[in-house]
Amino acid sequence: MDGQHHPDRRRRSEHQGGHAFDRDRSESYDRRAAALLRPFYRQVAAEIAATAPAGGHVADIGTGPGRMLHELARRRGDLRLSGVDSSPDMVAVAATAADRAGLAQRISLHTADVAALPFPDGGLDVASSTLSQHEWPRLEAAAVELARVLRPGGLLLVYDFRFLPVRPALAAYGRAPFTVQRSRLRLPWHPAALFTRLTLRRR
């Protein structure tokens, strides 16, 4: 893997919604994510590590500062890892974080929209999204694009806060070539399940 930071700005569109992250907001989010969300990212990385095929290509969509990919890189040295975010400032923060963690050569980062991903048809074995799906204003376009980049039999794992509505997403994925399973994710130290997990298999 080249570990490059690819500013695919031509792929950005109105799909990203109105919650743009400039450099200050991106750095602030990274500090909070590193302090508060590491147990969550570890849990997600463990689940992906247990299911990704040997030598597979895994992409984290809406990766933010890329902290989940750090956890996954430490668990599976064989995987090809990519992170995608619509904010070029957030991608720059992710690139800095990967470099400081010694993972710049393991993680390839792209500025792109979830409805226009920088991967070929069937180019991914696993795609993930952590706490970003609620920012996607056109869920059907996202579902179609995610189906395009996943190989037949590929896996999409979507994690979001449990209190957020999930029916629109279920409807969008149901109209795309996916089988869909909904469940809850509880962190070991917390008594309640705080997150919804969607497990989708590309037909």
Side-chain angles (χ1 to χ4, degrees):
M1 183 183 305
D2 59 12
Q4 293 179 9
H5 163 195
H6 302 279
D8 303 315
R9 289 182 175 87
R10 69 187 183 279
R11 296 177 177 272
R12 297 180 71 207
S13 74
E14 74 281 359
H15 185 83
Q16 68 186 9
H19 299 281
F21 280 86
D22 61 17
R23 188 59 182 250
D24 288 343
R25 290 189 65 198
S26 298
E27 290 176 346
S28 175
Y29 183 90
D30 184 36
R31 288 191 294 270
R32 296 196 306 272
L36 301 175
L37 292 175
R38 190 172 185 186
F40 167 70
Y41 290 142
R42 283 177 169 173
Q43 181 76 15
V44 171
E47 293 185 2
I48 296 173
T51 58
H57 187 181
V58 178
D60 190 37
I61 312 302
T63 196
R67 295 292 177 173
M68 191 284 291
L69 290 172
H70 296 192
E71 300 294 337
L72 185 55
R74 295 180 181 112
R75 286 166 171 78
R76 291 285 302 272
D78 62 305
L79 295 176
R80 179 184 174 194
L81 302 177
S82 297
V84 177
D85 202 277
S86 64
S87 165
D89 289 304
M90 187 68 86
V91 170
V93 169
T96 298
D99 185 59
R100 288 174 176 169
L103 297 171
Q105 298 305 311
R106 291 288 322 280
I107 299 170
S108 181
L109 296 165
H110 306 263
T111 303
D113 188 271
V114 66
L117 295 169
F119 307 115
D121 295 357
L124 300 181
D125 298 287
V126 180
S128 63
S129 172
T130 53
L131 312 183
S132 70
Q133 179 183 255
H134 61 275
E135 302 280 3
W136 304 348
R138 293 172 53 229
L139 285 166
E140 290 199 18
V144 169
E145 180 69 349
L146 287 162
R148 179 189 70 79
V149 299
L150 279 164
R151 64 170 175 79
L155 183 66
L156 171 62
L157 292 168
V158 180
Y159 303 81
D160 219 330
F161 295 109
R162 181 182 164 191
F163 59 81
L164 294 170
V166 72
R167 287 183 181 179
L170 292 174
Y173 292 124
R175 286 188 284 271
F178 285 110
T179 60
V180 184
Q181 181 180 357
R182 177 184 178 184
S183 57
R184 294 175 180 174
L185 174 65
R186 184 183 70 83
L187 300 179
W189 52 267
H190 201 281
L194 301 178
F195 307 98
T196 296
R197 178 201 298 110
L198 301 182
T199 304
L200 304 107
R201 185 71 66 174
R202 174 69 162 86
R203 293 198 296 265

